[in-house]
Amino acid sequence: MELGIKGKRALVCASSKGLGRGCAEALAAEGVNLVINARNDEALQATAESIRNTYSVEVIAIAADITTESGREEVLAAAGNIDILVTNAGGPPPGMWSDWEREDFIAALDANMLSPIALMKSVLPGMMAKGWGRIVNITSMSVKAPIAVLGLSNSARAGLTGYVAGTARQVAHAGVTINNLQPGIHATDRAIALDTAMSNAEGIDIIEARKKRCATIPTGRYGTSQEFGAMCAFLCSQNAGFIIGQNILLDGGAVNSTM
Ligand code: NAP
């Protein structure tokens, strides 16, 4: 399918690995020039080089913590007048409801709610002035179905989802779409960290923990970054201009609901 976005310019945050990288690669495959970001410069530069070589697009790589104001300023300055924004950052640590204090919630809200909101506020005026823009936020299936050990994620991402629901409808008239992608379990470093957390909590080995987590998914496997990126690229396409404020679950059927 021709997505009609060749030559557009995208900022994909937190994208040296995992789901962010999957989105960056899927956009690059459509001929979109990229600004990518992560904290570790070495891994980021390696990803940038690999994407340039594979897809022959321009890739600017900015090493910065996207959850800080200074990090965002640096990334946004390099990004300039972008057409596409994909927000992403690492997820909060797992734990128990009784573990989390005010500062833990503030950190989670900063990373997974207030950072994407700040990024959207920065780029929306430029997109609206051009009459075209696409914003995709990587959130989590935990917004639809709580993951008990990820209470910080459940809380922060629900807040972001509420903000997007209203804002997407305020900016749609200017040709800008905002939607959220809700990943279930995908085979990335984050999945390894959560497999390890289960293995430690239950005193089982990591293979056993992965089997138990796979058994919660009707597909019987974790998702891939490529599958995830393909949906992101579609939401950024010309064809997706009528999709506004939606939350799209990519979870292999793990959330058991009729609608
Ligand atoms: P991942 O494989 O661990 O990759 C995270 C990427 O983000 C890396 O490139 C990392 O690079 C970068 N990053 C992390 N924190 C950053 C920060 N503060 N500033 C800039 N870059 C940052 O994780 P993932 O699986 O792709 O997950 C992406 C998001 O989806 C997370 O919020 C996660 O909680 C959520 N999610 C994932 C799953 C899953 O199963 N994979 C399921 C539901 C939700 P550096 O470390 O070098 O910064």
Side-chain angles (χ1 to χ4, degrees), residues 25-113:
E25 293 217 32
L27 290 169
E30 294 301 320
V32 173
N33 296 312
L34 298 175
V35 177
I36 64 169
N37 148 260
R39 292 163 302 179
N40 179 299
D41 193 40
E42 202 182 329
L44 181 68
Q45 297 303 337
T47 297
E49 193 54 20
S50 159
I51 295 177
R52 274 183 213 113
N53 292 340
T54 310
Y55 305 103
S56 303
V57 294
E58 181 189 309
V59 185
I60 297 171
I62 306 292
D65 184 340
I66 202 69
T67 68
T68 65
E69 204 174 328
S70 59
R72 284 191 296 278
E73 271 171 17
E74 214 183 316
V75 170
L76 287 165
N81 196 7
I82 49 167
D83 307 292
I84 294 167
L85 167 68
V86 180
T87 76
N88 187 30
M96 279 293 286
W97 62 270
S98 49
D99 295 339
W100 303 311
E101 303 298 341
R102 178 179 162 78
E103 56 273 22
D104 301 308
F105 281 101
I106 298 294
L109 292 172
D110 265 340
N112 300 115
M113 177 182 170

Side-chain angles (χ1 to χ4, degrees), residues 14-20 37-40 64-67 88-91 112 138-140 157 183-186 188-191:
S15 50
S16 65
K17 298 182 193 167
L19 303 180
N37 148 260
R39 292 163 302 179
N40 179 299
D65 184 340
I66 202 69
T67 68
N88 187 30
N112 300 115
I138 300 180
T139 71
S140 173
R157 298 186 200 276
I185 305 176
H186 282 70
T188 67
D189 287 0
R190 172 75 170 167

Side-chain angles (χ1 to χ4, degrees), residues 92-97 99-100 146-154 194 197 201 213:
M96 279 293 286
W97 62 270
D99 295 339
W100 303 311
I147 301 169
V149 294
L150 292 179
L152 294 172
S153 171
N154 299 339
L194 295 176
R213 296 217 305 144

Side-chain angles (χ1 to χ4, degrees), residues 183-255:
I185 305 176
H186 282 70
T188 67
D189 287 0
R190 172 75 170 167
I192 295 169
L194 295 176
D195 292 344
T196 306
M198 177 187 257
S199 142
N200 293 337
E202 298 189 12
I204 55 178
D205 72 27
I206 190 159
I207 308 283
E208 198 50 39
R210 194 163 300 146
K211 260 195 206 154
K212 275 184 89 168
R213 296 217 305 144
C214 270
T216 66
I217 311 173
T219 52
R221 66 170 177 88
Y222 291 179
T224 69
S225 298
Q226 290 77 11
E227 290 168 315
F228 191 86
M231 177 54 90
C232 176
F234 178 75
L235 284 179
C236 295
S237 73
Q238 297 294 354
N239 310 312
F242 208 54
I243 304 176
I244 303 293
Q246 296 304 298
N247 291 281
I248 297 173
L249 198 53
L250 293 100
D251 70 338
V255 172

